[in-house]
Amino acid sequence: MSENAKLTRGSIRGHLVTQTLPMIIGVAAVMSIGLVDAYFIGKLGSDALAAISFIFPISVAITSLGVGVMVGINSVIARALGEGDDERAARRANFGLVLAVVTGVIVGVLLYLILDPLFTLMEASDRQLPLIREYMQPFSLGFRHNYDRAQSRSRTCRWPSRAAYCVDLGPYGIDVGPAGMYPHCGVA
């Protein structure tokens, strides 16, 4: 057993709290973003709100894929750490980072390329398709950060992951809106 394995020492209750509380807060934050978005987008009209409702299942599916990648990567890293092989854990973390970035880029580009057929298949109206496209084009090309964040818990690649997240946050987070560099991004 590894000397660095922290979960093998201490109380189980304490580990459960410290491992699950951040996830509970994170899920609550993501859910609250959806509620706030729905409130403000609802003020723009029914077409804008309907466009966002078409986007929701796609973003949930992509997020679920990202969580699956994250869980798989964390599992192989944890096994290597549990065996006391820190070098192998570091190699797996680095490979996981590459896998996460490549997966994110492929999913983002694929989503970008199939936007119209996908949402037409979902029966979006001709009035809603331009709104969906206006939101989803920057969204799909900026989605890579969710896969990068899959590695943020690993010490060996925490900083590259945060740097990639900040790069994505700039154009698609802070600068969106009338005062930002990209006022055309998004439904509003």
Side-chain angles (χ1 to χ4, degrees), residues 61-126:
I62 292 172
T63 301
S64 298
L65 178 63
V67 168
V69 169
M70 174 182 63
V71 168
I73 292 168
N74 286 335
S75 174
V76 296
I77 293 170
R79 280 187 257 152
L81 289 173
E83 293 170 1
D85 193 347
D86 291 344
E87 267 189 50
R88 186 168 48 152
R91 284 193 313 272
R92 288 181 175 179
N94 289 331
F95 176 76
L97 179 62
V98 171
L99 176 68
V101 169
V102 168
T103 304
V105 168
I106 289 171
V107 169
V109 169
L110 183 64
L111 180 61
Y112 184 87
L113 294 174
I114 65 166
L115 283 177
D116 285 346
L118 176 64
F119 288 102
T120 301
L121 184 65
M122 293 174 67
E123 298 184 6
S125 71
D126 290 336

Side-chain angles (χ1 to χ4, degrees), residues 97-160:
L97 179 62
V98 171
L99 176 68
V101 169
V102 168
T103 304
V105 168
I106 289 171
V107 169
V109 169
L110 183 64
L111 180 61
Y112 184 87
L113 294 174
I114 65 166
L115 283 177
D116 285 346
L118 176 64
F119 288 102
T120 301
L121 184 65
M122 293 174 67
E123 298 184 6
S125 71
D126 290 336
R127 289 187 332 208
Q128 295 162 345
L129 277 175
L131 295 172
I132 292 170
R133 194 178 309 112
E134 186 178 351
Y135 182 86
M136 288 300 291
Q137 285 176 338
F139 177 86
S140 63
L141 296 179
F143 213 99
R144 178 179 48 80
H145 68 83
N146 279 332
Y147 294 97
D148 291 341
R149 286 188 305 169
Q151 292 298 307
S152 66
R153 299 291 292 182
S154 170
R155 289 179 188 228
T156 56
C157 52
R158 183 176 290 161
W159 291 110

Side-chain angles (χ1 to χ4, degrees), residues 28-43 49 52:
V30 168
M31 292 171 68
S32 68
I33 289 170
L35 291 172
V36 171
D37 281 352
Y39 173 76
F40 285 107
I41 293 171
K43 291 184 172 210
L49 191 57
I52 291 297

